[in-house]
Amino acid sequence: MLIRGGSRLVNQQIPLKEKSIVFIGFMGVGKTTIGKLVAKKLYRDFIDIDEEIEKEFQMPVSQIFNEIGESAFRQKEKDIIINMCRKRLQVISVGGGAFLQEEVQKECLSSCIVFFLDLSWESWKERISMIIDSRPVLQGKTIEEIEELFYKRQKIYSNHHSKVHTDHQEIEEIADYIVESLKLAWELYG
Ligand code: S3P
């Protein structure tokens, strides 16, 4: 079974086929890229939560952290996610720290189908230079501290409906796998 607790997922107010899909995982694992592709394949709208937060504050995430503070960012993140999760038929990419908030976890897991994009530390390390400038949470940390954060976060991401291993896989392959597993769950439980 690719999606855990399929039958449990049905016993909710939103029909399984109409539930929004949420992507979680550490910074830079490809939630936005894969989410966009899955949305395209399913003919659904794609929502990037960080982008929505940036629109609200009219500044990039790093500037929000520096000038307004992380707690205001987290509050806005929670409000937007809860709002979006209650809409049907969306594909949503949430920031890597969103699941630190219990209310966010609960809402995503009860209203949506949650996919955890799992990349190994070894593969993730190779991406660090590409993402560090736009990720305030990583800045000023040693590689050992980032590794510690990476593994600490993995525990939080263990709350999901389906885990997708993304090491050595093409974006297209990953998106196809996700779409196929969704179709299977819809067929079995939808
Ligand atoms: C964060 C992840 C970022 C963004 C912010 C904080 C985190 O999103 O929300 O910089 O705490 O992990 P991505 O996971 O899309 O990089």
Side-chain angles (χ1 to χ4, degrees):
M1 187 64 235
L2 302 169
I3 296 179
R4 295 198 301 195
S7 53
R8 190 167 35 84
L9 274 169
V10 206
N11 301 325
Q12 307 280 341
Q13 284 157 333
I14 309 173
L16 189 61
K17 268 188 184 156
E18 292 181 24
K19 282 191 172 205
S20 290
I21 294 150
V22 170
F23 287 102
I24 62 166
F26 203 60
M27 290 160 264
V29 295
K31 300 180 292 282
T32 301
T33 313
I34 293 164
K36 268 187 190 158
L37 196 52
V38 168
K40 195 173 150 206
K41 287 176 188 283
L42 295 174
Y43 305 97
R44 291 188 180 197
D45 288 333
F46 173 75
I47 310 287
D48 180 81
I49 298 297
D50 282 342
E51 224 174 82
E52 297 300 311
I53 302 170
E54 288 178 333
K55 270 191 237 161
E56 290 255 346
F57 284 108
Q58 298 198 348
M59 57 178 87
V61 169
S62 327
Q63 204 178 342
I64 302 170
F65 267 67
N66 289 336
E67 291 179 14
I68 304 174
E70 182 172 349
S71 70
F73 174 88
R74 296 296 176 199
Q75 181 64 47
K76 187 65 78 189
E77 180 177 51
K78 182 173 80 186
D79 295 346
I80 296 178
I81 293 175
I82 291 176
N83 246 326
M84 287 297 173
C85 280
R86 290 179 181 169
K87 293 187 180 171
R88 298 172 189 220
L89 300 166
Q90 310 291 306
V91 176
I92 305 164
S93 160
V94 307
F99 254 43
L100 295 172
Q101 306 195 65
E102 217 178 302
E103 279 176 76
V104 169
Q105 277 194 38
K106 274 194 184 148
E107 187 61 47
C108 290
L109 291 163
S110 64
S111 308
C112 308
I113 305 176
V114 178
F115 281 89
F116 165 35
L117 297 183
D118 189 20
L119 185 70
S120 70
W121 167 249
E122 291 310 314
S123 300
W124 185 84
K125 251 188 338 189
E126 290 168 15
R127 300 185 182 184
I128 191 161
S129 61
M130 291 186 290
I131 65 167
I132 193 144
D133 289 345
S134 55
R135 305 310 199 281
V137 171
L138 300 178
Q139 288 158 16
K141 285 192 172 63
T142 62
I143 192 75
E144 289 79 17
E145 286 167 339
I146 295 175
E147 185 176 6
E148 199 185 318
L149 181 70
F150 180 92
Y151 285 110
K152 205 165 134 195
R153 291 275 183 90
Q154 297 301 97
K155 287 191 198 115
I156 289 156
Y157 307 139
S158 65
N159 298 311
H160 58 255
H161 296 117
S162 185
K163 174 157 83 170
V164 184
H165 296 281
T166 59
D167 278 61
H168 317 299
Q169 295 226 57
E170 296 296 328
I171 298 296
E172 194 74 36
E173 277 178 315
I174 301 167
D176 282 340
Y177 173 83
I178 291 165
V179 169
E180 286 315 308
S181 63
L182 279 166
K183 286 185 177 163
L184 185 64
W186 290 336
E187 220 173 90
L188 288 169
Y189 307 106

